[in-house]
Amino acid sequence: MRITPETAERHTLAILVDNEPGILARVAGLFTARGYNIESLTVTDVSEDESVSRITIVTSASPHVLEQIIAQLDRLVPVHRVTDLTAMGAHVERELALVKVAGRGDHRIEALRLADVYRARVVDATTASFVFEVTGGTDKIDKFVELMREVGLVEVARTGIVAISRGSEAA
């Protein structure tokens, strides 16, 4: 008998949970205890009375492991629903980054040119540095940061991925 390893695929999960202390630790702990990796994690209130939150997690897993992850998340008491946005099909993913770049002269001009190409906004400026705000897909953010390394990258802060399904139905 020969066992072939399953390939890991990137999946975006939307998890609706009761907004209570410790729920994020419980969800993250489920991943940690079983050795699953979280590539990105964001949390926000989604109900008017702030009683329900949405946790968006990006992870890479084989189909079998992903099935286990979803089943284990579903078993947690404060979890209302787990949706695999990747399996649902069309969905929109975005990330926001703040990128601080220092430079003078040509480096400063080049940073502004690159920011224009990537539609990054200047949200703070001094005579020696800029802070750019850039939004888009992970690949776009990665490439922008990579290019800024060449002109004086100082610091990067990223939000993590937020995602929502397309169409008129909720995830």
Side-chain angles (χ1 to χ4, degrees):
M1 176 183 230
R2 186 177 184 160
I3 299 175
T4 58
E6 295 182 88
T7 58
E9 297 174 353
R10 182 179 173 275
H11 285 266
T12 303
L13 304 176
I15 308 159
L16 287 180
V17 298
D18 287 337
N19 188 5
E20 61 184 39
I23 184 58
L24 180 59
R26 289 179 65 192
V27 170
L30 184 145
F31 278 77
T32 304
R34 289 158 181 84
Y36 307 146
N37 188 38
I38 295 175
E39 295 175 16
S40 174
L41 183 142
T42 57
V43 183
T44 188
D45 279 329
V46 292
S47 62
E48 201 170 302
D49 63 356
E50 299 180 358
S51 64
V52 178
S53 289
R54 177 183 169 127
I55 301 172
T56 304
I57 293 179
V58 177
T59 189
S60 289
S62 67
H64 175 72
V65 169
L66 185 68
E67 197 175 294
Q68 287 181 333
I69 290 171
I70 292 170
Q72 291 165 359
L73 285 169
D74 271 331
R75 280 190 216 118
L76 292 177
V77 170
V79 172
H80 295 272
R81 182 173 66 226
V82 179
T83 305
D84 182 355
L85 294 172
T86 306
M88 281 183 70
H91 65 281
V92 178
E93 290 186 5
R94 289 292 179 265
E95 186 174 1
L96 176 133
L98 296 176
V99 180
K100 186 186 296 183
V101 178
R104 297 189 183 276
D106 289 342
H107 286 292
R108 187 172 177 84
I109 293 167
E110 187 61 20
L112 285 170
R113 282 189 194 137
L114 289 168
D116 188 49
V117 169
Y118 281 82
R119 295 188 183 119
R121 289 185 335 121
V122 176
V123 293
D124 184 59
T126 67
T127 58
S129 69
F130 291 108
V131 175
F132 296 107
E133 173 189 288
V134 60
T135 60
T138 302
D139 292 342
K140 176 184 175 181
I141 305 287
D142 290 342
K143 188 63 177 173
F144 183 73
V145 169
E146 180 183 322
L147 290 170
M148 287 298 147
R149 287 188 202 292
E150 297 175 26
V151 294
L153 179 71
V154 174
E155 187 176 9
V156 177
R158 295 174 78 155
T159 60
I161 293 170
V162 294
I164 197 162
S165 62
R166 296 186 90 140
S168 59
E169 300 297 317

